[in-house]
């Protein structure tokens, strides 16, 4: 099945940034003398900054105001961006879709600062590049708004688009937007009901119709 548009999650889907985010998160917490939860990495995947902050505030006593916490965490993350690498196979598929004239956008729960830095680091900044960050919407994933905004920006009906995601949070958002949602987790697992699960770049390419 071919779509008129493909909308990509960024962290963990286009770029292998989850390990960097996790390392920055743990370092930021330990600098505040807070021991990170043992299951922090699993629980944080796909979460927007605000619900993750609330989880840490309630469970671990994080007391910094939200905006101060964000700056504190990014102080650890941004120096790592130079080490960022693409997820194997993802940028090749992105490039092939671009050559074919398929509309694309990056739809992320990360801040604009991080989205732009990550895309530059892996060579994905180009004229006409469209991206949606958490700062561009009122309701981030798992709400449908980020994907609906992407569809609006490229001028397609949401039902004519595919959403590619590595997290349940993101896949839930794609499904809520009425898009054909392809769940490409970093390790094999079941996806949300209604999502198409793939476990390799080759399977993803096939599901995108080429």
């Amino acid at each position: 099945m071919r779509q008129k548009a493909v909308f990509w999650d960024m962290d963990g889907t286009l770029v292998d940034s989850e390990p960097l985010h996790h390392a920055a998160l743990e370092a930021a917490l330990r600098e505040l003398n807070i021991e990170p939860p043992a299951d922090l990495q699993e629980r944080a995947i796909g979460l927007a900054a605000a619900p993750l902050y609330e989880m840490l505030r309630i469970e671990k006593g994080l007391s910094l105001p939200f905006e101060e916490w964000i700056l504190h965490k990014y102080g650890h993350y941004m120096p790592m961006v130079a080490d960022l690498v693409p997820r194997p196979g993802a940028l090749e598929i992105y490039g092939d879709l671009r050559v074919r004239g398929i509309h694309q956008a990056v739809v992320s729960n990360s801040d604009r600062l991080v989205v732009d830095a990550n895309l530059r680091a892996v060579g994905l900044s180009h004229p006409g590049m469209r991206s949606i960050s958490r700062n561009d919407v009122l309701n981030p994933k798992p709400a449908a708004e980020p994907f609906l905004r992407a569809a609006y920006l490229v001028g397609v009906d949401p039902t004519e688009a595919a959403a590619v995601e590595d997290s349940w949070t993101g896949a839930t958002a794609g499904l809520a937007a009425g898009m054909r949602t392809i769940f490409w987790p970093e390790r094999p697992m079941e996806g949300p009901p209604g999502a198409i699960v793939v476990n390799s770049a080759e399977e993803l390419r096939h599901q995108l119709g080429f």
Side-chain angles (χ1 to χ4, degrees):
M1 178 181 178
R2 291 182 182 272
Q3 287 76 40
K4 291 184 178 180
V6 176
F7 301 135
W8 298 83
D9 173 56
M10 183 180 66
D11 296 298
T13 302
L14 272 176
V15 298
D16 191 18
S17 56
E18 296 292 0
L20 302 189
H21 279 291
H22 182 64
L25 188 55
E26 287 201 335
L29 287 170
R30 289 198 170 104
E31 193 171 33
L32 297 172
N33 296 314
I34 297 173
E35 184 62 25
D39 59 350
L40 179 60
Q41 184 170 14
E42 180 180 347
R43 295 172 67 189
I45 290 176
L47 273 185
L52 179 58
Y53 168 82
E54 284 301 312
M55 179 185 81
L56 293 170
R57 186 184 65 81
I58 292 168
E59 296 184 14
K60 303 300 291 187
L62 177 62
S63 60
L64 280 183
F66 176 68
E67 293 300 336
E68 289 184 30
W69 161 250
I70 291 296
L71 291 174
H72 178 65
K73 182 203 167 186
Y74 289 166
H76 289 274
Y77 180 82
M78 296 306 286
M80 302 180 189
V81 171
D83 298 325
L84 188 65
V85 296
R87 186 169 180 186
L91 295 195
E92 290 80 3
I93 296 174
Y94 181 96
D96 287 345
L97 290 171
R98 190 179 174 201
V99 168
R100 287 166 168 77
I102 304 297
H103 297 294
Q104 296 182 92
V106 172
V107 181
S108 176
N109 260 358
S110 288
D111 279 86
R112 170 58 56 193
L113 176 73
V114 172
V115 171
D116 290 346
N118 283 359
L119 296 180
R120 283 195 302 269
V122 296
L124 261 185
S125 294
H126 58 77
M129 177 70 179
R130 295 180 177 90
S131 60
I132 291 90
S133 73
R134 82 166 180 94
N135 309 108
D136 302 316
V137 296
L138 292 174
N139 302 295
K141 306 172 193 175
E145 184 181 350
F147 283 113
L148 294 177
R149 179 167 177 79
Y152 170 78
L153 289 176
V154 305
V156 302
D157 189 279
T159 61
E160 298 175 316
V164 183
E165 282 281 355
D166 73 308
S167 72
W168 269 64
T169 300
T172 299
L175 292 165
M179 296 181 180
R180 185 167 182 262
T181 300
I182 303 174
F183 183 57
W184 185 24
E186 294 191 83
R187 63 182 186 279
M189 67 175 72
E190 292 185 3
I196 300 164
V197 179
V198 299
N199 288 301
S200 69
E202 291 73 21
E203 290 180 18
L204 174 60
R205 184 181 291 272
H206 174 74
Q207 287 295 334
L208 291 174
F210 70 100

